[in-house]
Amino acid sequence: MVIDIYYWFDKSTKRKALLAEFYSFHDVDYRKIVKHVNTRWLSLEQAVTQVLQQFPGLKSYFLSNDEHEARFGRLQTLFENPMTEVYLLFYQSSLQEFIHFNMFLQREDPIIPVVYEQTTSFLQNLTGKFLTVAAIKEAKGDLSTLDFKDPKFQHPEKRATSAKHIQFN
């Protein structure tokens, strides 16, 4: 989604000007769209955060216009889905764990003695967003033994969303 948004506005001054009008209408500050680069996946968090900050203006733009290009159609479909913003908020929250772990791995000093401990901590923090504390404790450090799809291990408030099997393409 963030890549499609970037390329939709990248070379078109007309589209950027029209987007600025939608931002103004929604009282959102206009900012240049950030490019997510696949080889530097840490840029994804910045791109997702920016899309969330500008979400009302972007949504209005894509739902108010009619274009016949595939990229526009994909984006329009995403902005029509009420769960899109929820998914972006989830990604933004989850990406923090990946960024913190990645920064640890990029350190200059020797980290071999603590890699296992940090990896386990990373996985526990990440699974803590989905699973109950009791489920994580039951795994006794080996999270691979858990059946993540089993509703008894999931947070009660997260079951309704996960049960619907909503996809975000």
Side-chain angles (χ1 to χ4, degrees):
M1 175 181 192
V2 294
I3 293 170
D4 276 346
I5 290 172
Y6 174 81
Y7 282 113
W8 182 254
F9 295 106
D10 182 40
K11 304 279 190 235
S12 177
T13 306
K14 180 181 173 184
R15 291 176 186 164
K16 289 177 189 174
L18 186 56
L19 179 62
E21 290 178 25
F22 281 95
Y23 282 2
S24 177
F25 179 76
H26 288 279
D27 204 23
V28 175
D29 292 334
Y30 180 82
R31 291 183 171 176
K32 183 179 176 184
I33 304 293
V34 174
K35 182 179 182 182
H36 166 57
V37 182
N38 287 334
T39 57
R40 296 192 47 91
W41 68 271
L42 290 178
S43 68
L44 181 59
E45 192 271 336
Q46 185 181 11
V48 168
T49 297
Q50 187 185 50
V51 168
L52 282 168
Q53 290 169 344
Q54 300 176 17
F55 196 83
L58 287 165
K59 182 176 182 175
S60 183
Y61 173 90
F62 285 103
L63 297 183
S64 300
N65 289 301
D66 188 30
E67 298 277 341
H68 300 289
E69 293 183 39
R71 178 172 280 138
F72 185 88
R74 286 191 305 267
L75 289 167
Q76 192 174 47
T77 300
L78 287 170
F79 282 106
E80 287 172 345
N81 183 347
M83 291 301 293
T84 297
E85 188 173 16
V86 175
Y87 282 116
L88 288 172
L89 288 165
F90 172 76
Y91 287 149
Q92 183 186 39
S93 170
S94 298
L95 284 169
Q96 294 302 316
E97 298 297 333
F98 287 95
I99 288 169
H100 178 72
F101 187 61
N102 193 326
M103 298 303 280
F104 164 75
L105 293 174
Q106 292 181 29
R107 292 172 43 175
E108 298 276 336
D109 54 322
I111 60 171
I112 293 297
V114 293
V115 168
Y116 178 79
E117 178 184 312
Q118 288 294 319
T119 303
T120 303
S121 175
F122 163 70
L123 291 173
Q124 287 175 342
N125 289 339
L126 192 60
T127 56
K129 294 184 180 302
F130 313 97
L131 304 178
T132 62
V133 173
I136 295 169
K137 285 182 180 179
E138 186 178 311
K140 297 178 182 162
D142 186 6
L143 298 174
S144 66
T145 62
L146 291 176
D147 178 11
F148 295 101
K149 294 181 181 179
D150 188 341
K152 73 179 183 182
F153 293 130
Q154 299 173 6
H155 284 294
E157 65 275 5
K158 306 239 172 40
R159 285 185 196 146
T161 304
S162 64
K164 292 180 185 174
H165 302 289
I166 300 169
Q167 292 186 344
F168 185 69
N169 299 325

